[in-house]
Amino acid sequence: MGIGASAHEAYVPAEGRESQNGHATAGLNGHSAAHLNGGDAEAEGEVAVAAARRLTRGRVLVLNASYEPLNVCTVRRALVLLLKEKAEVLEHGDGVLRSETMRLDCPEVIRLISFVRVPRDIHRRRITRKAVLARDGWTCQYCGSSKPSLTVDHVIPRSRGGESVWENIVASCAPCNRKKGNRLPQEIRMHPRRHPRPPGPTVFIRIAAPRTPEAWEPYLLAA
């Protein structure tokens, strides 16, 4: 069974759905439709549809064939890849998706069958405050504090010829930012704790899904 324009309907759980002859199947609470009036059956069907929508909008970690994290997609997109045999499931999450003919556990981590070449043009990755802070572990690169009001700093100030590139931008707390001002690191003896560099894909994955499921961690940490 493919997933096309009717994909949303195909993965509505069997519970709470009405069949074509107008009779409802078993509801979510286990009671048969015989014990429900028309209004209750209709309401329960709507609950089932809403639950299916939430499940298919869930997040799935996508790995390359080499197990390198690539991106995050919806459960619905992951199911398309699985049914077309373009991916395999490595980890299952909570929830079950049912159709008239099959039952599928919600995927949480999938791996592509064929290797996908990823462009390595790092300069095309947009530099954002959130991405810089995530790359630097939400820690000031000058004093090591993890204050909530972190900002970003140009290691070589723009007024001194510094560029807005990954290699010249670090996370900084406000006090360190003010202290450094427009001076060079050697002038004030304030050097970043780590040499700034372009972030790997895991940084953007964590931004896309701030609450990463536990099942993702081994694959993200190994990257």
Side-chain angles (χ1 to χ4, degrees):
M1 178 184 66
I3 297 183
S6 60
H8 183 70
E9 298 174 359
Y11 283 91
V12 173
E15 293 89 350
R17 289 187 56 188
E18 289 190 2
S19 61
Q20 292 181 353
N21 60 12
H23 297 289
T25 59
L28 292 175
N29 60 6
H31 297 294
S32 67
H35 297 91
L36 301 173
N37 59 37
D40 290 339
E42 182 178 356
E44 197 158 295
E46 291 176 355
V47 170
V49 170
R53 285 175 178 169
R54 286 194 297 272
L55 284 176
T56 55
R57 284 199 298 263
R59 296 295 181 180
V60 178
L61 176 63
V62 182
L63 307 179
N64 211 335
S66 60
Y67 289 85
E68 175 190 9
L70 284 180
N71 56 30
V72 176
C73 74
T74 62
V75 170
R76 184 171 180 175
R77 174 59 182 162
L79 292 174
V80 172
L81 294 172
L82 293 170
L83 291 175
K84 289 185 175 181
E85 298 183 346
K86 293 184 177 181
E88 63 176 348
V89 180
L90 297 183
E91 304 286 347
H92 289 101
D94 296 330
V96 176
L97 297 167
R98 297 182 177 88
S99 74
E100 296 289 348
T101 58
M102 68 174 63
R103 174 187 183 279
L104 293 172
D105 294 324
C106 271
E108 199 158 71
V109 179
I110 64 173
R111 171 179 168 267
L112 299 182
I113 300 300
S114 300
F115 182 79
V116 174
R117 294 192 177 278
V118 180
R120 297 301 181 184
D121 188 357
I122 56 177
H123 300 291
R124 297 177 61 181
R125 292 177 184 256
R126 183 186 175 194
I127 301 175
T128 65
R129 173 180 172 275
K130 184 177 288 187
V132 172
L133 299 184
R135 180 202 63 184
D136 293 342
W138 306 90
T139 302
C140 175
Q141 292 301 289
Y142 296 116
C143 70
S145 69
S146 300
K147 297 178 180 178
S149 57
L150 289 174
T151 182
V152 297
D153 176 65
H154 285 73
V155 179
I156 300 176
R158 284 179 292 180
S159 62
R160 306 288 292 271
E163 297 181 276
S164 293
V165 294
W166 287 109
E167 294 85 349
N168 192 47
I169 299 178
V170 295
S172 172
C173 65
C176 285
N177 206 331
R178 288 193 298 268
K179 179 181 178 181
K180 180 171 174 290
N182 70 338
R183 285 172 285 191
L184 298 174
Q186 59 269 28
E187 293 175 348
I188 194 171
R189 296 183 180 178
M190 289 180 64
H191 297 273
R193 297 187 165 203
R194 292 183 299 178
H195 183 71
R197 61 181 183 177
T202 57
V203 166
F204 297 95
I205 288 173
R206 291 186 184 280
I207 292 174
R211 292 185 177 181
T212 54
E214 185 177 345
W216 293 16
E217 290 302 326
Y219 302 97
L220 297 179
L221 294 175

